Amino acid sequence: TCCNLVLDNNIRGAAIKAGVYASLEKGLLLQDKDTVRQCLASIFSVCTEDLFMEQMAKSTRIPVTLIKYISNSDHSNVTLTPEEYSLGARTLCMLSWCTRSRLFLQ
């Protein structure tokens, strides 16, 4: 799956170049909690490299989707686990902390 491709350090860059971010973002919107959790973990795993964070902030709506998700504004019937909230919040913090991605969050 897309999540597994991003979690593999050896092929992460190729998966991102191929457009995996769109699939991960759509995965955040699904009702299946396991899929959402795996997408959150995969997106957070990208936050180890500035280039990948910049690409995420510049070319996707993942930061906006994460804000909506953890604030529960679009998912009023979904209860977040502490792990899901933490992964979403930590991803947003990493994107805000990185100077290369911060510019695109404004």
Side-chain angles (χ1 to χ4, degrees), residues 27-45:
L28 291 175
L29 304 174
L30 298 175
Q31 295 298 317
D32 182 56
K33 296 291 275 182
D34 293 328
T35 303
V36 170
R37 196 172 302 116
Q38 191 172 17
C39 287
L40 283 168
S42 298
I43 291 168
F44 180 71
S45 74

Side-chain angles (χ1 to χ4, degrees), residues 92-103:
L92 288 169
C93 288
M94 292 297 293
L95 289 170
S96 299
W97 175 76
C98 173
T99 55
R100 290 180 69 167
S101 61
R102 182 183 317 143
L103 174 67

Side-chain angles (χ1 to χ4, degrees), residues 3-65:
C3 294
N4 292 333
L5 295 174
V6 174
L7 290 171
D8 186 333
N9 291 334
N10 296 320
I11 57 174
R12 176 180 294 155
I16 290 171
K17 287 178 186 174
V20 75
Y21 282 143
S23 297
L24 295 176
E25 185 174 2
K26 288 179 184 175
L28 291 175
L29 304 174
L30 298 175
Q31 295 298 317
D32 182 56
K33 296 291 275 182
D34 293 328
T35 303
V36 170
R37 196 172 302 116
Q38 191 172 17
C39 287
L40 283 168
S42 298
I43 291 168
F44 180 71
S45 74
V46 171
C47 292
T48 58
E49 297 187 36
D50 290 356
L51 176 62
F52 296 153
M53 288 190 288
E54 178 186 8
Q55 290 171 339
M56 183 190 313
K58 183 178 183 179
S59 63
T60 74
R61 295 196 41 85
I62 289 176
V64 173
T65 303

Side-chain angles (χ1 to χ4, degrees), residues 66-80:
L66 285 173
I67 290 169
K68 289 179 181 178
Y69 186 77
I70 66 173
S71 68
N72 240 2
S73 63
D74 285 347
H75 304 287
S76 57
N77 60 338
V78 175
T79 303
L80 296 179

